[in-house]
Amino acid sequence: MADADLLDYDDVIATYDPVMGMEVHVELSTETKMFCGCANRFGAEPNTLVCPVCLGLPGALPVLNAAAVESAIRIGLALNCDIAPWGRFARKNYFYPDQPKNYQISQYDEPIAVDGYLDVPLEDGTTWRVEIERAHMEEDTGKLTHLGSDTGRIAGATTSLADFNRAGVPLVEIVTRPIEGAGERAPEIARAYVTALRDLLRALGVSDVRMDQGSMRCDSNVSLKLKGATEFGTRTETKNVNSLKSVEVAVRYEMRRQAAVLGSGGTVTQETRHFHEDGHTTGGRSKETAQDYRYFPEPDLEPVAPPAELVEQLRGTIPELPWLSRRRIQEEWGISDEVMRDLVNAGVVELVAATVAQGASSESARAWWGNFLVQKANETEVSVADLAITPTQVAAVVKLVDDGKLSNKLARQVVEGVLAGEGEPEQVMNDRGLVVVRDDSLIQAAIDEALAAQPDIADKIRGGKVQAAGAIVGAVMKATKGQADAARVRELVIAACS
Ligand code: ADP
Ligand code: MG
Ligand code: ZN
């Protein structure tokens, strides 16, 4: 659609009120799939993680994964939902080649969690309450790869490949109630909600929530009504918006497109739409209704009836909301929003906090994780959390520096030793012989040598040009393999020249 077919955003807002609804699918990071013992793992060779159950072979029977149910309950509790004491799975019948059984096991009118809310933090420091209609369990489909078309989509493809590794992976779908009253902030609020949900799910440890890998997927529903009208307009559902930025872009685009349609006397078609990377959406299939799926209770599975004690026990495992703990941590550390944002983006807030809990100052802990270790992680292409060093070990290094046993330079070598698997910091320090030289007479000898080797510089210092001392300090540090205390060397150099 050309830009001419989009109304200016300001004009949309002047005339219409947007209503949104977010449907987020999240793949649970359980060891095994939802109804069979196949490994639940991303990126394996196609069709290596399959069995008769997840391939839908005749006679195979599903067995419910208890760990997936516990994750679903924890998600429901974290979203302030009521947990259903009893509920059945349902068969959602439809044919599609990524779905070997020709039905998906889902929950229909008896979801595990209902009636919750999430208080979403916005950029300006305020909070927006998004009401949660339900969170339900279901299984993922397989994955189709279409070859031969320019777009990678099925239209124009000459070959399609099916990989069933993902078939039967546990999913939780989280559906909001209609989000009303957001006005011009609708796109921002949509993005903030999905961001908050991602951070919450990550803090719960139930999913790796990678939108880029599809372990978290968002469909955004949008409709417009005339300002002040009570009845909702017709909605479109934009599918598989695959980044946080795209959530915002997709909502804004649909608002502008629908306003143009309505403004020219047309009607919005209820349909699913496909999101494109460049930010526009195109029409997909017209939306099927619940009747089309011929839902009925799944006869091969027992109802899910979590005991109240289990629910209460799981309630005890729900962590503080991550943005609230971040705010508290930020205050404790006394750092600016920007510094905090850098730490969040680097993914090191929890690591720094754990290092501080082991006795390090927040300043030193931040410096290690936020600079040196992030850099090491980038060099070796692993995430910082996966580096072969723990917060306890970083805290031990900080202590060695604070105690004057290591200079910063030596400390970096110790950390490198730990990363290389040479053992605990103290052991690396001893094995590598990395100890600060405290003996002034040793340093003095190196200074005398350096002054003799660079007489012109020695003269400059003697003549009062103290800045020139740097060259001598550098030479001494080199001669002592970085084991001298640079500040002490400088003192001694100046003393020697005065
Ligand atoms: P479906 O299965 O058809 O996708 P769901 O009930 O699962 O329907 O999800 C629809 C989502 O859209 C929900 O988040 C709901 O709150 C929201 N929604 C419903 N009606 C409207 C509307 N007119 N405009 C915008 N969003 C809507
Ligand atoms: Mg839906
Ligand atoms: Zn299987």
Side-chain angles (χ1 to χ4, degrees):
M1 177 175 276
D3 257 12
D5 300 321
L6 299 176
L7 198 62
D8 280 346
Y9 193 69
D10 290 345
D11 296 335
V12 179
I13 295 306
T15 314
Y16 300 101
D17 281 333
V19 176
M20 301 184 290
M22 294 292 152
E23 299 171 74
V24 171
H25 284 88
V26 51
E27 281 181 355
L28 302 178
S29 49
T30 48
E31 292 287 315
T32 56
K33 293 188 183 179
M34 191 77 178
F35 302 114
C36 63
C38 291
N40 170 15
R41 185 151 47 80
F42 181 82
E45 278 289 295
N47 298 310
T48 54
L49 309 176
V50 292
C51 74
V53 173
C54 54
L55 286 176
L57 301 188
L61 288 172
V63 176
L64 181 57
N65 180 342
V69 178
E70 292 192 1
S71 290
I73 293 174
R74 292 179 70 235
I75 291 170
L77 291 172
L79 293 170
N80 306 289
C81 290
D82 297 332
I83 304 302
W86 192 89
R88 288 169 299 184
F89 281 96
R91 278 193 189 179
K92 181 178 184 180
N93 297 282
Y94 66 93
F95 171 79
Y96 203 70
D98 63 7
Q99 171 81 289
K101 295 199 294 290
N102 285 344
Y103 61 84
Q104 178 189 30
I105 305 181
S106 181
Q107 290 188 302
Y108 177 48
D109 49 357
E110 299 170 11
I112 184 92
V114 295
D115 288 339
Y117 62 87
L118 181 61
D119 285 331
V120 175
L122 302 182
E123 288 268 340
D124 65 1
T126 61
T127 295
W128 183 278
R129 177 163 293 190
V130 172
E131 294 185 349
I132 307 295
E133 179 187 304
R134 65 176 196 273
H136 69 251
M137 297 181 280
E138 58 189 29
E139 56 178 338
D140 211 343
T141 59
K143 196 168 165 45
L144 298 180
T145 304
H146 305 293
L147 303 178
S149 68
D150 294 340
T151 56
R153 302 190 62 200
I154 194 166
T158 52
T159 309
S160 293
L161 302 170
D163 173 12
F164 294 113
N165 284 349
R166 200 179 68 178
V169 163
L171 283 181
V172 167
E173 179 177 354
I174 299 151
V175 183
T176 68
R177 290 196 189 286
I179 302 170
E180 297 177 72
E184 64 173 333
R185 301 185 76 176
E188 178 203 344
I189 286 169
R191 178 186 183 154
Y193 165 71
V194 180
T195 306
L197 189 58
R198 182 200 61 177
D199 292 354
L200 176 59
L201 294 167
R202 188 182 281 153
L204 284 167
V206 292
S207 168
D208 58 5
V209 284
R210 294 275 303 262
M211 289 187 89
D212 58 328
Q213 293 185 351
S215 58
M216 178 166 177
R217 313 195 278 271
C218 175
D219 304 337
S220 75
N221 293 267
V222 175
S223 68
L224 295 179
K225 57 188 173 80
L226 281 173
K227 265 182 130 48
T230 46
E231 216 165 296
F232 291 173
T234 303
R235 70 182 157 111
T236 59
E237 178 179 351
T238 304
K239 291 290 208 186
N240 293 340
V241 186
N242 61 6
S243 74
L244 296 169
K245 179 74 192 145
S246 300
V247 172
E248 186 170 344
V249 171
V251 168
R252 181 183 293 265
Y253 182 90
E254 270 305 286
M255 287 169 64
R256 295 182 60 196
R257 188 190 66 83
Q258 290 181 14
V261 170
L262 296 170
S264 64
T267 51
V268 172
T269 316
Q270 179 161 353
E271 61 182 356
T272 62
R273 296 185 67 85
H274 186 86
F275 182 77
H276 299 266
E277 286 305 322
D278 66 359
H280 78 290
T281 70
T282 47
R285 58 195 155 85
S286 65
K287 186 75 188 173
E288 44 297 274
T289 62
Q291 281 87 357
D292 295 328
Y293 290 122
R294 296 283 180 261
Y295 282 102
F296 61 84
E298 167 59 57
D300 288 342
L301 286 165
E302 296 206 35
V304 183
E309 308 86 76
L310 172 66
V311 174
E312 286 321 302
Q313 183 210 320
L314 293 173
R315 197 186 298 280
T317 69
I318 306 303
E320 184 181 18
L321 290 171
W323 47 95
L324 295 187
S325 51
R326 265 181 227 151
R327 202 173 299 158
R328 182 173 49 73
I329 284 173
Q330 187 181 343
E331 272 166 27
E332 274 169 26
W333 295 351
I335 55 176
S336 68
D337 290 354
E338 275 154 8
V339 171
M340 189 65 185
R341 198 170 312 138
D342 287 347
L343 294 174
V344 170
N345 289 340
V348 298
V349 174
E350 281 71 25
L351 294 164
V352 173
T355 307
V356 172
Q358 294 296 321
S361 69
S362 72
E363 211 168 13
S364 322
R366 274 192 342 255
W368 279 108
W369 289 109
N371 302 319
F372 189 71
L373 288 168
V374 162
Q375 205 178 310
K376 285 283 155 206
N378 286 343
E379 281 168 16
T380 48
E381 294 182 0
V382 298
S383 75
V384 202
D386 290 339
L387 284 173
I389 189 164
T390 63
T392 308
Q393 289 170 325
V394 174
V397 173
V398 170
K399 183 159 192 320
L400 290 170
V401 174
D402 290 349
D403 290 350
K405 293 190 182 150
L406 288 177
S407 63
N408 283 327
K409 184 170 177 179
L410 293 179
R412 283 196 282 276
Q413 295 179 42
V414 169
V415 167
E416 268 165 3
V418 175
L419 290 172
E422 294 169 26
E424 294 300 316
E426 186 125 26
Q427 189 185 340
V428 175
M429 180 178 84
N430 294 332
D431 290 356
R432 287 196 179 190
L434 302 171
V435 194
V436 173
V437 177
R438 294 258 151 239
D439 186 344
D440 278 358
S441 65
L442 279 177
I443 298 175
Q444 197 62 60
I447 290 175
D448 292 344
E449 230 169 82
L451 289 172
Q454 305 186 70
D456 43 335
I457 293 188
D459 285 344
K460 276 190 191 161
I461 306 172
R462 290 194 187 99
K465 284 202 162 176
V466 189
Q467 316 86 281
I472 303 297
V473 174
V476 171
M477 293 305 290
K478 199 168 172 195
T480 57
K481 299 200 180 70
Q483 285 171 247
D485 175 352
R488 180 69 188 142
V489 172
R490 195 181 163 78
E491 279 170 22
L492 292 173
V493 170
I494 291 169
C497 297
S498 53

